[in-house]
Every structure is written in structure tokens, then in C-alpha cells.
Amino acid sequence: MSLLAPTLEAFFTQRLIAQRQASPHTIASYRDSLRLLLAFVEQHTGIPPSRLDLGDLDAHVIGAFLDHLERERGVAVRTRNLRLAAIRSLFRFAALRHPEHAAVIQRVLAIPQKRFDRNEVTFLNQTEIAALLAAPDRSTRIGRRDHALLIFAAQTGLRVSEMVALQRHDLQLGAGGHVTCRGKGRKQRTTPLTRDTVKVITAWTAEIPDQPAAPLFPGPRGAPLSRDAVRRLVTRHRIVAQDRCPSLAVKRVTPHTLRHSCAMALLQAGIDLSTIALWLGHEGIETTQIYLHADLALKERALARTSTPTATGKSSRYHASDSLLAFLETL
């Protein structure tokens, strides 16, 4: 018998924290996924999590748990796949410590990710961005902070978690203005700032404590804004901006929408995908390619370069010469 508890504890303390040096967000995500799994197993077997054996978590149990997430908890496929990724990571670690459970572990690792429809990314055009930036009331300190945050987000394309973690010493506002942040995978990157952004941020930094470790975008009590707070302020200003720009009323605008808008602006300016991937902190250009699919103007330019088939042009259709091939052709 191999109790799950020691393996699970070692997975977090040795694998995630000591070896991988995973971020707090990653650790919290894995923790929540495995906590849900253990609660599900306890509810259906009556075995306390501290007494579960690794063999109790076979592929059948994991599959039932994933179905439970979708049907009873109503989670999206993306969330279901995220929970499965955490379970897989645990079982890959367990494979090294418990070869006697190799068969059970391999069956769990063989559970596939569920496919889902990928929607095109939502982004704002220049008119919509201008309306959003004009929404905050800059006669108030909070309005000036929100205006600085919105213009900063739209120009740099930083993730919301990267923005709320910024401190004064991360900025260089002189010649060659730029910001340095630490993104996913603890990768550090530097993003240049435009003159307009430098001007706005310089004015804003005059209103926050002159200390290197002071949060760049603090809340009312001086602590960094939370991600939820940023999401709420973006929603609040979108509601105000839609009176001036009605197209905003039919778009779901989030902090990540501003990141997408930055990427689309770079793409439409003719910047190549590899540079955009570096700008956004993507691991590779595969993630960045979603912006190619979203750019209708780019597709229209490609269509304009193609020749239109003539009405008199003859087209040929493949005809199978064998009954088996004919069957395959009907599928």
C-alpha cells in the first residue's frame, strides 16, 4: 500500500516549490484542483483523504470526477482541462516514487484533454480605446490612477497579474522609457513605453509615495490593486465609455482585452509574430498566431491579392475508382 498523503505533500514541497519554483498562482491552482478531487472521492467512498491509497485514484475515479465538474458544478471545458493538467502533474511525479502503481498511473495519464471550440479573441479598435481612456474622471485621484492604468495596459499589453505587481523601481521614465516585469514562468522581460505613456505615468508617479518598492497602482489603503479590482474598474469605465462609443456595449471588455488590443495594434502595424510573442511574453509564436485569425483586415488584404475564378473556368472533381474508396469519399 502507498498512501497518497506523503506523495501529495512531497509533490507540493519538493516538486512545485523547491524544484520548479512555481508561482503562487500555479500552486494555488493545483491546490484547488486536488482539493476538489479529494473531496469528491471522500464523498463517494467514505475514505478520508489522509487514508486514501494512490491506487484508489484510478482512471475510472478521475473520469467520474471530471464528469462531475462539468455536469454538476457547471465548469467550462477549459476549467475541466486545467483540473486534469494538475492531476496529470501529480501522477507524473508519483510515477517516479511508486513504480508499483505504474499501470494505474499510465491509465490516468492517458485520459485525454477535452476539445472545445475556440472563439476569436476580442480586441478594441483605436476609436474604442480612445473612448475607454477618456472615461475616467481625471479631476479625482482615483480617476487619474485609472486613466494611467488603462493607457499603460493598452500600450504595454502586460497581463493584469504583471501590472498589479509593478513597483516604482520597475520603471525607467527618462530617455528610452521602459518597464521591467516578471511574467509567467518567472521570466523577466522589458517593454518600451511611448512618449504619451511616459508623460501620463510620470504625472501619476508624482501622486504616489516616492519609494522604490511603492506599488505603481495602489488601492485606497496603499496596497497593490487586486486583479478583481482591476477587472471591476475596467468594466465600470467601459459602461461610461459606451455612451460615447456604442460598439463597446456589445463587447466583453476585460483587462485581458486590452492585452489583445495591444497585440492587434502591433500586428496591424506590420510587426512580425516573433517580435509580438517577445513583447507579450509568450513562450512561442504558436500562442501569438491567434491574432492572425482575429484580424479580418489582414484576411481582406489577402483576398484582394487572389484572382477571382471565371465563370467559364472548368473544375474537375475526383471520382473514386474503387468501391472502398467510394465509401470513404462519402464520409
Side-chain angles (χ1 to χ4, degrees):
M1 171 179 280
S2 302
L3 287 178
L4 176 66
T7 303
L8 187 62
E9 181 179 348
F11 171 67
F12 278 96
T13 58
Q14 298 177 20
R15 179 63 170 171
L16 292 184
I17 298 176
Q19 297 176 3
R20 290 183 54 187
Q21 295 185 332
S23 71
H25 298 303
T26 299
I27 294 172
S29 176
Y30 280 34
R31 175 205 63 204
D32 293 343
S33 297
L34 296 172
R35 187 165 54 187
L36 286 171
L37 172 62
L38 296 179
F40 171 82
V41 175
E42 181 181 20
Q43 181 181 358
H44 287 76
T45 65
I47 303 175
S50 60
R51 303 304 303 169
L52 281 173
D53 182 72
L54 190 61
D56 294 327
L57 303 182
D58 57 17
H60 176 74
V61 171
I62 301 301
F65 168 67
L66 296 174
D67 290 340
H68 161 76
L69 290 179
E70 288 192 83
R71 295 175 183 174
E72 298 184 30
R73 294 182 65 91
V75 305
V77 175
R78 289 177 184 269
T79 303
R80 179 257 191 201
N81 289 344
L82 182 69
R83 303 304 187 200
L84 177 57
I87 295 170
R88 280 178 169 178
S89 184
L90 170 64
F91 273 73
R92 282 193 293 268
F93 176 76
L96 303 175
R97 299 170 63 94
H98 301 290
E100 70 275 14
H101 290 293
V104 172
I105 292 171
Q106 287 304 314
R107 284 193 288 269
V108 171
L109 294 179
I111 298 175
Q113 295 274 326
K114 196 168 187 178
R115 302 184 67 178
F116 55 92
D117 295 332
R118 294 181 180 272
N119 298 324
E120 288 189 348
V121 298
T122 300
F123 65 96
L124 307 183
N125 57 38
Q126 293 302 313
T127 301
E128 292 165 339
I129 290 176
L132 185 65
L133 296 181
D137 179 8
R138 279 176 275 176
S139 65
T140 67
R141 184 178 184 274
I142 291 179
R144 291 189 293 274
R145 180 204 64 191
D146 291 358
H147 174 72
L149 185 149
L150 291 173
I151 194 172
F152 187 88
Q155 190 258 291
T156 64
L158 264 62
R159 300 178 180 91
V160 63
S161 58
E162 296 167 345
M163 281 196 302
V164 298
L166 289 176
Q167 299 174 340
R168 284 192 66 132
H169 65 80
D170 296 319
L171 292 172
Q172 169 59 50
L173 298 177
H178 61 267
V179 60
T180 301
C181 73
R182 177 172 290 185
K184 279 188 175 181
R186 298 183 179 274
K187 295 189 295 290
Q188 194 173 60
R189 73 180 189 277
T190 300
T191 304
L193 303 176
T194 65
R195 291 182 179 179
D196 289 341
T197 303
V198 168
K199 182 178 179 180
V200 171
I201 296 298
T202 299
W204 167 242
T205 54
E207 301 191 49
I208 62 177
D210 188 12
Q211 301 169 359
L216 181 59
F217 299 112
R221 298 182 180 180
L225 286 173
S226 67
R227 291 183 294 174
D228 285 341
V230 176
R231 177 183 52 81
R232 289 193 297 269
L233 74 84
V234 170
T235 299
R236 182 170 67 250
H237 295 309
R238 191 268 301 169
I239 294 173
V240 174
Q242 70 187 30
D243 292 338
R244 177 180 304 181
C245 186
S247 63
L248 287 171
V250 297
K251 289 189 174 183
R252 182 173 178 269
V253 182
T254 67
H256 214 70
T257 307
L258 298 178
R259 178 172 165 83
H260 290 325
S261 302
C262 170
M264 291 302 298
L266 292 171
L267 181 64
Q268 292 167 352
I271 308 301
D272 62 275
L273 284 181
S274 59
T275 302
I276 298 175
L278 289 172
W279 186 290
L280 298 179
H282 288 164
E283 190 71 28
I285 66 171
E286 293 80 8
T287 305
T288 318
Q289 286 175 345
I290 61 173
Y291 300 111
L292 287 176
H293 298 285
D295 192 355
L296 181 60
L298 186 66
K299 297 174 184 176
E300 290 174 341
R301 290 196 296 270
L303 179 64
R305 298 193 188 103
T306 62
S307 59
T308 305
T310 60
T312 58
K314 295 182 179 181
S315 61
S316 60
R317 177 176 174 81
Y318 169 76
H319 295 282
S321 58
D322 182 88
S323 59
L324 180 57
L325 295 177
F327 162 73
L328 295 175
E329 188 70 16
T330 63
L331 296 178

